[in-house]
Amino acid sequence: PNSFLKIIPVWKDGWDEQLGTVLPQTMVEYALQANQTYPDKRLIIHFMQPHHPFIGEKGRKNIRINEGIQASRRLALGFKVAREERPIIWKLVKEGKLDKNIIWESYQENLQIVLDYAQKLIEKLKGKTVITSDHGNLFGERLFPFFWIKEYGHARKTYAKNLIKVPWLIIETNERKKILPGEKTEYEVQKDGTEDNQMKEKLKALGYIN
């Protein structure tokens, strides 16, 4: 938290209770507001899609709203969540309880939806924009050296090419954005280590750190 001037918790304030995620249009609204408020700062804008739940027509029709992403939100808010409540959509695919083709088509649909919104956002931002991802997903790949195991999603402690190789699309515009340094972050002004410890515990619960 002390690395950034401001962190805007869209997952907390802009959550769609019906679909159980942050919709891409909501993320665009927050991003444009942040760009207006901090015109001389770089922005990291994190869309939830193509991560499940799948918000497209095919995804909503064929796959129930997955409780797992709701559980992740409760974890991040500081609530205790039982292990069986955590994201299970890829586990259901692995066990053959969800059709692989429907999942793949729904995932592609989710990706196309967010790319359309990302394009609209890029058209309104100045300077250089990079489109990338925080991780990939596995979809039935066999894991070395355990070739009899097929994995789905982004399993913990798993080193696989399709998990760690992510896109890096650079989009340049004629007008460069002037970035100004300075200004202490809100975390540096008041910081006693408590928030750092809480954040580490939440990241551990979500499987992002050991």
Side-chain angles (χ1 to χ4, degrees):
N2 60 333
S3 300
F4 304 99
L5 175 69
K6 177 74 174 179
I7 296 178
I8 302 171
V10 185
W11 61 271
K12 184 188 297 183
D13 303 325
W15 189 262
D16 185 285
E17 295 290 349
Q18 182 179 2
L19 293 178
T21 189
V22 176
L23 298 178
Q25 54 264 45
T26 304
M27 200 66 220
V28 169
E29 292 171 6
Y30 274 81
L32 291 175
Q33 181 60 50
N35 188 57
Q36 183 177 354
T37 306
Y38 308 101
D40 57 357
K41 300 298 179 186
R42 294 183 178 91
L43 304 177
I44 299 175
I45 303 159
H46 188 179
F47 288 95
M48 281 301 298
Q49 295 72 34
H51 195 289
H52 68 89
F54 304 126
I55 63 174
E57 183 178 354
K58 181 182 291 290
R60 286 185 283 113
K61 179 179 179 181
N62 294 288
I63 306 166
R64 64 181 175 82
I65 298 300
N66 187 263
E67 171 63 15
I69 193 69
Q70 297 279 17
S72 296
R73 182 172 185 258
R74 293 200 301 275
L75 274 169
L77 286 169
F79 295 101
K80 290 186 177 180
V81 175
R83 179 168 296 277
E84 57 269 19
E85 291 185 76
R86 298 180 188 180
I88 59 171
I89 190 168
W90 299 114
K91 181 174 181 286
L92 294 176
V93 178
K94 187 176 181 178
E95 295 173 350
K97 297 176 182 178
L98 284 177
D99 186 274
K100 288 170 55 176
N101 292 328
I102 290 178
I103 291 289
W104 182 244
E105 291 170 4
S106 300
Y107 187 91
Q108 289 180 308
E109 183 182 48
N110 235 28
L111 176 61
Q112 188 57 57
I113 289 171
V114 74
L115 287 177
D116 289 344
Y117 278 98
Q119 181 175 349
K120 293 176 183 177
L121 180 57
I122 288 168
E123 292 169 356
K124 297 182 180 181
L125 297 176
K126 293 194 302 183
K128 179 193 291 186
T129 298
V130 173
I131 297 181
T132 185
S133 177
D134 55 345
H135 60 76
N137 272 314
L138 298 178
F139 200 78
E141 289 89 340
R142 298 182 185 275
L143 302 180
F144 178 84
F146 311 106
F147 294 111
W148 61 92
I149 298 177
K150 292 183 178 181
E151 193 56 82
Y152 293 83
H154 53 286
R156 295 179 59 185
K157 300 181 181 180
T158 302
Y159 186 90
K161 179 181 178 181
N162 285 358
L163 281 181
I164 63 174
K165 186 176 181 180
V166 296
W168 189 260
L169 173 63
I170 300 175
I171 300 169
E172 299 272 10
T173 63
N174 293 327
E175 187 177 5
R176 293 306 302 268
K177 186 175 182 179
K178 186 177 181 180
I179 306 298
L180 298 179
E183 297 184 53
K184 289 188 175 181
T185 73
E186 61 185 51
Y187 301 99
E188 289 174 321
V189 176
Q190 283 188 321
K191 181 172 171 55
D192 59 4
T194 303
E195 183 154 358
D196 270 356
N197 293 333
Q198 291 176 345
M199 184 60 67
K200 286 178 182 177
E201 289 303 313
K202 291 169 185 174
L203 288 172
K204 285 181 182 179
L206 291 170
Y208 284 103
I209 62 175
N210 298 325

